[in-house]
Each structure stands twice: as C-alpha cells, then as structure tokens.
Amino acid sequence: MSKDIVVILGASDGLGRALGEALSDTYEVIGMARRELETPPPFAYVPAVDVLNVDSLKAAVRGIDKARLWGLVVTAGTASMNHFSAVPEATRRRVMDLNFHGVANAIDVFGKQMMRNKRGRIVTFSTIAVPMLLDGEAVYVASKAAVDAYTKVVAKELADWNITANVIGPGPVETALIAGLSPEMKKALVERMTTKKLTEPADVIAAARYLLSKEAQQVTGQTITLSLATR
C-alpha cells in the first residue's frame, strides 16, 4: 500500500532536512526548496521550488500524486537580528515576504489540493521569540506572529474539509538562523528558557510527527511552544 505524501518546504537544510529524514519512516516525504543540492538527501527532493513564486508551487503540486497528499510542513524562512532602528526597509520587506507571504502562498496552493482530497495536515513554524517579544528581533517576531495568527484562522476555515492546521514554536535550535549569535548571547537566551537548554531537532520532530498523525484529528488552530520562556 502506498504511503501518504508529506511535502516539506525548506527541506534543503536545517530543520526541514532533519524533518524529512525522520518522517520518511512513516510517510513518502517530498522535500522542496529553491536550491540544488550536491548531495541528495535520503528522501525525494525537488529543487527550484520557491515559496515566493506561486507558479513554481503550482508546478510542484502537479508533479506529485495529488490524491495521496496528506501533509504540508513549511519550514522555509529567514531571520533578521538587530535593533529595529538599524533594519532597512528592504530587509523588513524581505523577511516579511519569505516568512509570512511565502507560508501563505504554500498554504494557498497545497491547501486547495487538500480541500479537493477532503483531508490533510498543515504544520507551520513560529518561534519562541513571539511570546517573549524578544528584543533585537522585532522584524522576525512580527513576521512569525503573522504566521501564527494566519495559521489559526486557516484552521477554522479548513475544518469542514477534515484538514487541521497548527504551529510549532521552537526555542533556539542550532541551525543557520542563530549561527550569528555569540556564545554569550546563546547562554543568556537559554537562561530565559523554562528547560534551560536549547531545543533539539528531535523535540521539533516529535511535535511535527504528532501534529501530522491521524490521531491528532482534534488538534487544530494550536501553537505548540517548545522550551517556553519564563520572562
């Protein structure tokens, strides 16, 4: 029997790739991203898929067995860490475009196919920086807060089609997004976590695995926050 398909956007590296590798034991994972990879991942991978290019997303849908589409996981994103007064308008627009409009494009294109299938799971990504209102990340926080709110409204609008939509808000994970932080900055951030440690990819994988499962049919419009900040 053929497996259900889970599409992961932003699967070229970081959490997207880790999710693709882990979820391949349960689903037929199809990872997608903009760039070509020298070393292919251990799951199907489609390059030249840009969440800011709706035509490329529509072409990606046409390239899969649409009837088996079950899950959409959108990890594509970027960050900007600086005082708001030092962030140029072009940077604000770039971060908001990729982090919010890119996610909205993906949900629009793949969500419509799920509506035709009358089933599905959507998982998007926010960040612990949203409830923390983390200083130095105003643009990033704003873009991810938009994803959080958008996903929750979409969850209500898709409920009649047996589709759930939820958000994972990880704490800091050792990926390219926090590569620019000094060890001192990372330590200070971790000290504000309830768990007092960085979020591991395995923590994110466990949350995504549950939200994608058939057992999570009553869980929708929720944000699962990892390593909740105390202040």
Side-chain angles (χ1 to χ4, degrees), residues 75-79 98-99 144 177:
T75 66
T78 189
L98 182 54
N99 288 0
K144 289 298 187 177
L177 282 180

Side-chain angles (χ1 to χ4, degrees), residues 50-98:
D50 185 352
V51 293
L52 294 180
N53 184 325
V54 173
D55 287 339
S56 78
L57 290 171
K58 290 179 177 178
V61 171
R62 290 195 295 270
I64 67 174
D65 183 351
K66 295 186 285 294
R68 289 194 291 127
L69 176 62
W70 170 252
L72 171 68
V73 181
V74 190
T75 66
T78 189
S80 175
M81 300 178 185
N82 214 333
H83 192 275
F84 82 92
S85 63
V87 179
E89 179 185 0
T91 299
R92 292 200 310 272
R93 292 185 180 277
R94 175 178 59 82
V95 173
M96 187 61 74
D97 276 349
L98 182 54

Side-chain angles (χ1 to χ4, degrees), residues 171-172 189-191 193-200 203 226-227:
L189 189 56
V190 166
E191 285 301 312
M193 304 292 107
T194 302
T195 57
K196 299 296 187 288
K197 61 181 180 181
L198 292 171
T199 300
E200 298 289 337
D203 303 322
L226 307 177
S227 306

Side-chain angles (χ1 to χ4, degrees), residues 167-197:
V167 188
I168 298 175
V173 184
E174 284 287 7
T175 65
L177 282 180
I178 67 166
L181 297 182
S182 67
E184 293 76 20
M185 293 171 70
K186 291 179 185 178
K187 181 179 179 182
L189 189 56
V190 166
E191 285 301 312
R192 299 172 67 180
M193 304 292 107
T194 302
T195 57
K196 299 296 187 288
K197 61 181 180 181

Side-chain angles (χ1 to χ4, degrees), residues 12 26-27 40 42-43 80 94 103 143 160-161 164 167 169 187 192 196 201 224 227 230:
S12 59
T26 306
Y27 305 100
F43 51 83
S80 175
R94 175 178 59 82
V103 173
S143 68
D160 288 344
W161 285 270
T164 67
V167 188
K187 181 179 179 182
R192 299 172 67 180
K196 299 296 187 288
I224 295 181
S227 306
T230 56

Side-chain angles (χ1 to χ4, degrees), residues 115-138:
M115 291 169 71
R116 296 183 189 100
N117 295 349
K118 296 183 179 179
R119 64 176 202 141
R121 300 284 185 267
I122 295 171
V123 179
T124 64
F125 278 79
S126 182
T127 168
I128 198 173
V130 171
M132 289 176 70
L133 298 176
L134 191 62
D135 49 308
E137 297 191 16

